[in-house]
Amino acid sequence: MQIAERTVALFNYTLTNAAGDVIDSSEGRTPLAYLHGAGNIVPGLEKEMTGKAVGDKFNVVVQPEEGYGMPNPIMIQVVPAAAFQGVDKLEVGMEFQAQTPQGPMSVVIAKIENDEVTVDGNHPLAGQTLHFEIEVMEVRDASLEELAHGHVHGAGGHHH
Ligand code: ZN
């Protein structure tokens, strides 16, 4: 059975950046399950999964445009340190939930200068070229419920 629309695929992966550093991996975990054609994984990877079958091993290089996009300058803002009430010491790399008109958003402190704090709400992998090493572990038909929800249920997917 090949990966196509209306199928669920489970795969193991290792994700490295351009420098060869491992960013994420399914090693030691259950394979990642996704509903093909539903946008559960980045577009550049989903495209390459089409037509693959159990046991297929391959490498995919995904450009930022087909990965997590390019960093958006609008997502980078300077806020006064006083906005971080209750935080003892602000440090670069700290993560916070910010309330925005679009709902809660995860931001990271990118820079601290005097009393001005620069926060970045872009995806940590925005602007990065992604190198995936993939092994397809299982391919099956999606259930009607999975198709209706737009995601996988059970092993490697949603439990609700
Ligand atoms: Zn569901």
Side-chain angles (χ1 to χ4, degrees):
M1 183 170 193
Q2 290 183 322
I3 298 173
E5 299 280 323
R6 306 170 78 85
T7 64
V8 166
L10 282 76
F11 65 92
N12 283 326
Y13 67 95
T14 301
L15 169 61
T16 50
N17 62 17
D21 302 324
V22 174
I23 298 166
D24 194 11
S25 166
S26 62
E27 204 182 308
R29 291 189 264 154
T30 48
L32 185 73
Y34 81 101
L35 175 62
H36 192 76
N40 294 167
I41 58 176
V42 294
L45 178 58
E46 186 165 52
K47 206 166 65 182
E48 293 299 318
M49 297 294 284
T50 308
K52 298 293 195 298
V54 171
D56 282 355
K57 287 184 185 181
F58 54 97
N59 295 312
V60 182
V61 178
V62 176
Q63 300 302 321
E65 293 78 6
E66 288 196 307
Y68 291 98
M70 295 305 284
N72 185 344
I74 289 175
M75 307 288 273
I76 300 170
Q77 287 184 13
V78 178
V79 294
F84 297 86
Q85 279 176 19
V87 183
D88 284 343
K89 192 176 187 309
L90 293 171
E91 279 174 40
V92 170
M94 284 176 116
E95 219 176 292
F96 292 91
Q97 288 292 322
Q99 298 303 326
T100 74
Q102 285 77 38
M105 192 177 80
S106 173
V107 300
V108 169
I109 293 182
K111 199 169 87 179
I112 304 171
E113 230 170 44
N114 301 321
D115 279 341
E116 293 193 329
V117 179
T118 305
V119 295
D120 188 346
N122 286 293
H123 191 283
L125 295 177
Q128 295 213 35
T129 301
L130 312 170
H131 298 251
F132 287 100
E133 201 180 301
I134 304 289
E135 182 178 6
V136 181
M137 306 305 288
E138 189 185 331
V139 184
R140 63 168 170 85
D141 285 317
S143 70
L144 288 177
E145 197 187 39
E146 286 172 328
L147 291 170
H149 286 201
H151 56 228
V152 175
H153 292 162
H158 287 245
H159 298 271
H160 63 98

